[in-house]
Amino acid sequence: WIASAVVALGCASVVASASATAAPAAACAVSSQTIQITSLAFQPPAVPPGQSSQAVLAAVNCTNATQQASSEWLGHFVGSAPGIPAGCPVIDPIVLPMNFPPHGQLTRTVGYLVPASCPATGLVVTVEILQNGKVVTQRSAELTIIRPGQTTS
């Protein structure tokens, strides 16, 4: 099962896709949660302004029943001072449906553009999985924004 959607967020373009596969047993063995996030990471993990990166989420249904849920993606640019750096946009949250098959794993990919005018040093994205309006699990990841003269390891 594969689905995709495109959502425009002002200066950022967000593309989401999903696929379902069998759930890894190890993720469910260490949690009593119905749904467990197994990973959230940016690919690539660092980009310069004017480029984009994709946040990749993997989550599993730890039950033998179909689970209806949604993923809420919350992102904000960060810098050396508190708050959103001047020149960086506010990113509106997006909510995407996640319909897990029994013992199934879903992946979602959301792309984020770093505007050339944004002086931030990072982009933090938090994904919350919700069922019946309640957060059942969440995870965050940070994209490194490469400033001129900066190297990455």
Side-chain angles (χ1 to χ4, degrees), residues 14-44:
V14 178
V15 178
S17 64
S19 62
T21 59
C28 295
V30 297
S31 174
S32 61
Q33 294 173 316
T34 303
I35 297 170
Q36 179 71 29
I37 294 175
T38 55
S39 67
L40 176 63
F42 279 98
Q43 295 299 324

Side-chain angles (χ1 to χ4, degrees), residues 8-80:
L9 296 178
C11 74
S13 170
V14 178
V15 178
S17 64
S19 62
T21 59
C28 295
V30 297
S31 174
S32 61
Q33 294 173 316
T34 303
I35 297 170
Q36 179 71 29
I37 294 175
T38 55
S39 67
L40 176 63
F42 279 98
Q43 295 299 324
V47 297
Q51 299 295 311
S52 62
S53 181
Q54 295 184 6
V56 181
L57 169 76
V60 297
N61 173 2
C62 295
T63 74
N64 62 0
T66 299
Q67 297 292 324
Q68 305 295 318
S70 57
S71 58
E72 183 171 30
W73 297 70
L74 309 160
H76 65 277
F77 289 99
V78 295
S80 57

